[in-house]
């Protein structure tokens, strides 16, 4: 082997190591890599004397040549396994099956589902994440079947709810089946992550960890209700960090202040 390069294109760093003085290099484009072998078929990399001729790729036995050629794809395959394993071990946050407040008149509301309830099974199939639930409901939209739901209520009790096959049949499997049925995942209450020094929120008394409960005299059901209120004066009600949930603090914030 004449050169082993990490990356493609112009060599930006290289060193030679080992008895054969193989060049180990880093190239400008971080896309894959390559090896340059001593090969009599290519004039630019052909052996220059008899000592180098023994290292010629074409003089190696067939099994050695197979191993050399296969080394690159096998290394890429193993690297993909390692990277995906690391990704899945780290994990990613995914919504559960707890429901946002349902809109009156939607199939979900008519079935008795309410905000804070969590669906635990669909037609006997357990669901643990929103992706699981979406998959089951989309499958039913294709089959035009009823959805018999096992539900854990917001109060901790268990109950059953059914979305009839007729309502499922009205949905389009190629669109958002969950939205058509009035199902959306729970979004928690807005929590202040950081109050910018000198900003309207900090001057209003908001502190990191505060939970915003409402604004302008109206309570929030979830964080989405806070969006869009920064463009005007708001009177946020918030529970101070570490304070009992019943304790409310009023603060005035103005985006232009």
């Amino acid at each position: 082997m004449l050169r082993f390069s990490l990356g493609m294109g112009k060599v930006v760093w290289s060193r030679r190591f080992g008895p054969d003085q193989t060049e180990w290099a880093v190239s400008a484009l971080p896309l894959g890599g390559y090896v340059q072998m001593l090969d009599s078929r290519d004039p630019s990399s052909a052996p220059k004397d008899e000592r180098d001729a023994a290292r010629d790729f074409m003089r190696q036995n067939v099994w050695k040549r197979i191993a050399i050629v296969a080394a690159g794809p096998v290394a890429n395959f193993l690297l993909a396994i390692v990277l995906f394993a690391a990704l899945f071990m780290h994990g990613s946050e995914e919504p559960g099956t707890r429901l946002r407040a349902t809109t009156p008149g939607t199939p979900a509301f008519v079935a008795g589902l309410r905000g804070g309830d969590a669906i635990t099974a669909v037609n006997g199939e357990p669901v643990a994440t929103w992706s699981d639930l979406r998959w089951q409901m989309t499958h039913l939209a294709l089959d035009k079947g009823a959805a018999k739901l096992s539900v854990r209520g917001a109060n901790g009790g268990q109950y059953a709810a059914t979305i009839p096959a007729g309502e499922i049949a009205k949905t389009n499997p190629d669109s958002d089946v969950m939205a058509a049925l009035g199902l959306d995942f729970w979004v928690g209450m807005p929590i202040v992550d950081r109050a910018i020094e000198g900003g309207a929120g900090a001057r209003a008394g908001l502190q990191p960890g505060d939970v915003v409960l409402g604004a302008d005299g109206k309570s929030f059901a979830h964080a989405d209700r806070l969006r869009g209120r920064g463009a005007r004066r708001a009177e946020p009600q918030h529970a101070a960090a570490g304070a009992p949930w019943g304790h409310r603090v009023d603060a005035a914030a103005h985006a232009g202040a």
Side-chain angles (χ1 to χ4, degrees), residues 77-151:
F77 183 70
L78 293 177
L79 178 61
I81 293 176
V82 171
L83 293 178
F84 274 105
L87 178 64
F88 282 105
M89 282 189 293
H90 179 270
S92 59
E93 187 176 349
E94 185 175 3
T97 59
R98 191 180 182 190
L99 300 176
R100 188 180 299 189
T102 52
T103 303
T106 61
F109 186 89
V110 173
L113 298 170
R114 297 295 183 266
D117 294 351
I119 298 173
T120 58
V122 178
N123 292 343
E125 290 289 333
V127 289
T129 67
W130 192 254
S131 294
D132 294 341
L133 179 58
R134 182 187 295 276
W135 169 255
Q136 291 293 336
M137 300 306 292
T138 303
H139 186 71
L140 288 174
L142 291 168
D143 293 344
K144 311 299 181 185
K148 297 179 180 180
L149 309 174
S150 299
V151 186

